[in-house]
Amino acid sequence: MAQMAPLKTETNESQIHAQAQRLAHLPVWKSLLHLHRGEPQIANANFLLSWPHFSPEAELKAMLELLHSEGQTAACRFPARTLWLQNQIQLPNLDTEKCPDIAEFVSKAPFEKLELVFADESVTQPASILGHSFLKISGYRQGRIREHAVSFYTHAETINLPKLLWESLVTGKEGLFSLTPYDQEENKYLVNEQRNLWQYEILTTPQERALIRNHLFELKNSQLSYFFHRYNCATVLRNILGLVGELPPAPFGWSTPKDVVKDLHVSGRVVNTQVHLADSWLVAQMSNNRQDLEVIRSGLLTQSADPLRPDPNWVTENVTALRAYNRWLRHKGQISAEAYERNEKSLTPQTDKSNQIALQVDPAQNPVLSNGETHLRTEWRQTGPYARTLFQWIPVSHTLMQAQGQGRAETELILLSPTVSLDAHGQARLEEFQVFAMRSLIPWSPLLRPWSSQTLIGYGSLTGHPNDRRSAYASLELGITARQGNMDLFAIAGPGLRTPSEKVQPFFLRSDIGILWRHGDKAKSRLTWTHWIQNSGQPGKLEMEQSWFLKRGWDVGWRYGTFRQPLANIRSLALTLAHSF
């Protein structure tokens, strides 16, 4: 291929150095390089020309030299960098749309509108409990709208949780980019995984969309490692969206999909918001307001050839949720295609007649309005004669006792959280280290019939009693939750393992029975009885906890507990202050 003509007088070394110094610290250049606090998140020579002696200035200088020496070949290798530099300094015309891959992309995936899509957290999948975000691009081709999804992800479909945590936090997993028809992604999250989708239309110019399109090819051709805590769908999208305007600084700690949604709103680029509700969410809302659920279920499940004759009193109010339940039953294989069509035919006429009650999403479920997912917690605790001050750092989480609105389930996620205590003499010790804690209290419904669960992996006192030695432990519990208005009653139980000692065997059974109730949007209370069965005895703990939600992000609370041990009973009182950001 012909060499590129010299860059006039600007290509001498001193001027290239001056250009690099001026441009290297601009926000768009840092986004193109995927820098976090000045450090590259894609540390390999395929992506960084100056690696391993990287700096933003050295990378920009190397890019200018590559354009000078290789011309169109360099432009097709780094089309986004080339396009941006052409708008910053005087360069010969290098048309990146002539690059074969980009020309094919333009012909198949028109890009006239950009949207950020957030899939709600999944209460049944550990890898998805923080939600997922991806891009939607759309435009017209031959008079038809074409929609595609652009997603960065890794394979996390495994029941081997320790292996998943090790690879996603320490060694890294293979990061994958995909460009797929949007309806496939929508079906995956909305139907297969039953997660609500939030769509945010982003104000962009044609030049900005071309820059994003070109940058996607730079990423597709790079070797990317997925890390759950430092290079995930949120961090990748933050850098991509940084090409259309500077976002607020990345949060201290982990960046999550909700953080990207919030920062995009702060940037003022969101011009329209839509939410698409999963069928199970619609059905759950009906379950909270209906008493004749078994009648509804048997009516839709019948396999007879007789058409469904719905009671107009409940169809008029709930036709949207009934049709959603019909779809859900068909997706789960609980009714035949013929039964589905029969039900749909019976419900469709009611749609035009009915004055449906609007199904409103609780504002607390909106990612924009949610609390931060990094927590700092301080606690003063008196356990028997022992007083301690505890400090807990939770890099990414949402906790059971913080405000969660009137959502479908009360959930908790805690990852890699150390708790350090100081006694009255100022002596510090590691009180507990929670590797993974996930709780999902999903209200039982005769229609959906979901299970509640609790998974705990960590190091510390199994019961919280000061005489209970610290050990590594893991437990898994299953059960049910019943919702009555603002109150949830739950019962879960299951097996566990702990590191053994001379007197304690590794196996135990744990059960939790309790009540969780919400006092509007101001406070939350919990009463729980926890019981362990092990060879050294059957300790138990009765605990009452209450938290008040102050201004956004601040909570205060108290907790009182009584511990029953084979040799000693003891009481505990704690006062807490927590901040999420």
Side-chain angles (χ1 to χ4, degrees), residues 32-50:
L32 285 169
L33 301 182
H34 286 230
L35 302 186
H36 178 68
R37 306 189 192 282
E39 296 298 323
Q41 295 172 300
I42 307 176
N44 64 69
N46 290 332
F47 187 74
L48 296 177
L49 296 169
S50 60

Side-chain angles (χ1 to χ4, degrees), residues 135-350:
L135 296 177
K136 176 184 177 182
I137 63 175
S138 57
Y140 285 89
R141 182 69 72 237
Q142 298 177 342
R144 293 177 54 196
I145 186 71
R146 304 293 178 90
E147 301 175 328
H148 290 82
V150 179
S151 183
F152 177 68
Y153 64 101
T154 191
H155 293 301
E157 297 81 10
T158 178
I159 61 173
N160 190 341
L161 186 58
K163 181 175 183 291
L164 176 63
L165 290 173
W166 176 260
E167 291 181 345
S168 60
L169 295 172
V170 180
T171 63
K173 294 178 65 67
E174 181 185 8
L176 304 170
F177 256 104
S178 67
L179 174 70
T180 57
Y182 180 73
D183 58 357
Q184 291 184 13
E185 290 295 293
E186 184 179 53
N187 187 74
K188 172 185 175 182
Y189 293 109
L190 201 59
V191 178
N192 294 342
E193 298 184 6
Q194 291 294 305
R195 297 159 68 176
N196 296 339
L197 291 180
W198 298 77
Q199 291 182 208
Y200 304 93
E201 183 180 349
I202 305 170
L203 179 65
T204 56
T205 66
Q207 293 79 11
E208 291 168 342
R209 293 194 294 273
L211 186 61
I212 289 177
R213 176 202 64 202
N214 288 5
H215 186 52
L216 293 176
F217 279 95
E218 295 177 352
L219 295 174
K220 184 177 76 73
N221 295 325
S222 302
Q223 297 175 352
L224 306 178
S225 295
Y226 186 102
F227 287 91
F228 189 71
H229 59 308
R230 70 170 186 260
Y231 198 68
N232 51 38
C233 66
T235 49
V236 169
L237 288 183
R238 169 178 288 277
N239 285 296
I240 293 174
L241 295 175
L243 302 179
V244 303
E246 188 172 4
L247 298 179
F252 182 76
W254 297 12
S255 184
T256 69
K258 285 183 180 179
D259 290 329
V260 178
V261 173
K262 295 175 188 177
D263 291 343
L264 185 63
H265 268 264
V266 172
S267 74
R269 288 274 185 155
V270 176
V271 295
N272 186 38
T273 301
Q274 293 182 338
V275 59
H276 300 273
L277 303 175
D279 290 339
S280 61
W281 191 93
L282 292 168
V283 175
Q285 302 313 299
M286 180 174 66
S287 299
N288 291 337
N289 300 303
R290 300 299 309 177
Q291 302 299 320
D292 48 0
L293 297 181
E294 289 295 348
V295 175
I296 294 173
R297 178 178 173 82
S298 60
L300 290 176
L301 278 174
T302 179
Q303 301 292 317
S304 69
D306 296 331
L308 177 68
R309 294 181 175 84
D311 180 348
N313 291 327
W314 52 260
V315 169
T316 300
E317 296 180 358
N318 295 287
V319 62
T320 299
L322 285 170
R323 296 181 72 183
Y325 186 48
N326 192 40
R327 291 191 298 269
W328 186 86
L329 289 172
R330 179 63 190 134
H331 174 70
K332 294 295 184 180
Q334 297 187 29
I335 59 174
S336 65
E338 292 77 13
Y340 169 80
E341 293 295 341
R342 184 202 67 231
N343 293 338
E344 187 70 9
K345 183 178 179 180
S346 299
L347 292 171
T348 298
Q350 302 290 335

Side-chain angles (χ1 to χ4, degrees), residues 7 15-30 32-33 35 47-51 53-68 81-82 84-86 88-89 91:
L7 303 181
Q15 289 174 325
I16 289 178
H17 179 72
Q19 292 163 358
Q21 288 285 344
R22 178 173 62 87
L23 299 176
H25 298 286
L26 295 181
V28 173
W29 180 246
K30 294 179 180 179
L32 285 169
L33 301 182
L35 302 186
F47 187 74
L48 296 177
L49 296 169
S50 60
W51 188 257
H53 307 293
F54 169 82
S55 72
E57 298 89 344
E59 187 67 19
L60 203 148
K61 181 179 178 181
M63 185 65 212
L64 290 173
E65 292 173 346
L66 186 68
L67 285 172
H68 175 54
R81 299 186 190 185
T82 301
W84 182 71
L85 286 170
Q86 285 178 324
Q88 303 299 319
I89 59 177
L91 290 177

